[in-house]
Amino acid sequence: MQPTPSAATPLVEARNLIKEYPRGSGTSRVVDSVSFAIHPGETLGLVGESGSGKSTVARMILRLIEATAGEVLFEGAPLPPAHSSEMRTLRRRMQIVFQDPYAALNPRMKIRQILAEPFAIHRESPLEGLDARLSSLLRSVGLDDSALARYPHEFSGGQRQRINIARALALRPQFLVLDEPVSALDVSVGAQVINLLRDLQRNLGLTYLFISHSMPLVRYLCDRVAVMQHGRLVEIGEATQVCESPRSEYTQQLIAATPELSAIAAL
């Protein structure tokens, strides 16, 4: 029997996640005993240098890759097996926005096909009708119906990322993994996308795992911050506390190495 969620139950919980890959005659551990919880409506920032293991953690959370050890819980229940019908159903409730807005969209498909694809894959028909739902999705990210008949190459990077976000929202998920969603964008465009994500969270009651290497971005968007180094969590706490009074020497180095983003700081 599945446990009944309560107000105190995290929406998502990682327990002692470990990921190892074969290397020569042995193995390389890229994620080492990572644990954290994300509560409904919260944004947890997962921050660290490239290669720290943060994107690997995100993919284990979504069961896009299998953990070597440990488990992930959603509303208090362990994730079902990756290829089970239960996991297929659960994927409607947890989605990802990828880092590269250029690579994440099929260049041969018009935007209407791209946004309609989740409904086809999950064999779901929106109550309001597909056309009405696609229009609503575009409006929610600041675009209009004229986008539906166009191809990805006809849009700017910021507009493509808005389309990626719209696709992630198609099936009305509760949880989004945001894997460095503005790192490929200009600072000013990225700031607009970050503000869009804040508005969507407030309007739709979303829960975020926000992956970044930028401490100013994490401080602006996140409620709490988890800092990763060499596959391990070295610090976790409230965003303001971690950014203003970091305990870990590595966190201090991250903050010192990150230039202040004026477009974000001014918001």
Side-chain angles (χ1 to χ4, degrees):
M1 180 179 294
Q2 299 295 321
T4 301
S6 70
T9 302
L11 182 67
V12 177
E13 187 175 1
R15 292 183 178 175
N16 297 312
L17 289 180
I18 294 172
K19 183 62 181 178
E20 295 177 340
Y21 290 103
R23 183 176 181 180
S25 59
T27 59
S28 173
R29 181 167 291 191
V30 296
V31 174
D32 190 359
S33 303
V34 168
S35 298
F36 56 78
I38 313 174
H39 290 270
E42 181 182 37
T43 299
L44 176 70
L46 193 58
V47 64
E49 296 175 286
S50 178
S52 63
K54 54 191 188 295
S55 291
T56 302
V57 168
R59 282 158 174 75
M60 286 191 288
I61 290 285
L62 296 174
R63 205 146 209 173
L64 297 177
I65 59 174
E66 290 295 314
T68 304
E71 64 177 349
V72 177
L73 284 73
F74 191 87
E75 290 186 333
L79 292 185
H83 299 295
S84 65
S85 60
E86 292 85 357
M87 190 65 216
R88 180 185 177 90
T89 299
L90 189 57
R91 291 197 187 283
R92 303 178 188 186
R93 303 173 64 191
M94 45 201 312
Q95 292 289 317
I96 185 168
V97 176
F98 292 102
Q99 175 179 357
D100 188 350
Y102 300 94
L105 300 176
N106 188 331
R108 295 180 177 86
M109 296 174 68
K110 292 184 178 181
I111 302 309
R112 189 185 195 284
Q113 296 170 285
I114 289 171
L115 295 184
E117 195 171 30
F119 300 101
I121 290 172
H122 289 275
R123 300 173 185 175
E124 182 172 313
S125 298
L127 292 176
E128 66 270 42
L130 182 59
D131 289 341
R133 180 62 180 151
L134 300 188
S135 296
S136 175
L137 284 169
L138 286 172
R139 289 194 303 272
S140 73
V141 298
L143 299 174
D144 59 44
D145 288 0
S146 66
L148 292 172
R150 297 160 64 188
Y151 288 94
H153 73 267
E154 299 179 68
F155 296 90
S156 67
Q159 290 171 325
R160 292 188 204 192
Q161 197 61 299
R162 288 172 185 265
I163 294 166
N164 283 321
I165 294 168
R167 178 176 58 185
L169 295 175
L171 299 175
R172 295 185 169 93
Q174 295 164 272
F175 175 60
L176 288 186
V177 170
L178 306 170
D179 190 0
E180 302 208 41
V182 298
S183 63
L185 305 177
D186 292 341
V187 171
S188 59
V189 175
Q192 295 170 14
V193 172
I194 290 294
N195 273 335
L196 169 65
L197 291 169
R198 289 189 71 176
D199 290 342
L200 289 169
Q201 182 176 43
R202 182 167 52 248
N203 295 335
L204 302 177
L206 297 168
T207 302
Y208 291 155
L209 175 61
F210 180 73
I211 299 169
S212 182
H213 59 270
S214 169
M215 294 302 288
L217 274 179
V218 165
R219 177 174 180 174
Y220 178 73
L221 185 65
C222 300
D223 301 295
R224 292 186 301 124
V225 179
V227 182
M228 288 193 68
Q229 180 186 28
H230 302 318
R232 298 183 65 89
L233 282 184
V234 298
E235 185 164 359
I236 186 167
E238 298 296 320
T240 301
Q241 179 270 316
V242 171
C243 291
E244 293 185 356
S245 304
R247 296 188 302 271
S248 163
E249 181 180 351
Y250 176 71
T251 307
Q252 296 170 15
Q253 294 171 354
L254 268 184
I255 293 171
T258 306
E260 185 69 16
L261 300 181
S262 58
I264 294 298
L267 294 174

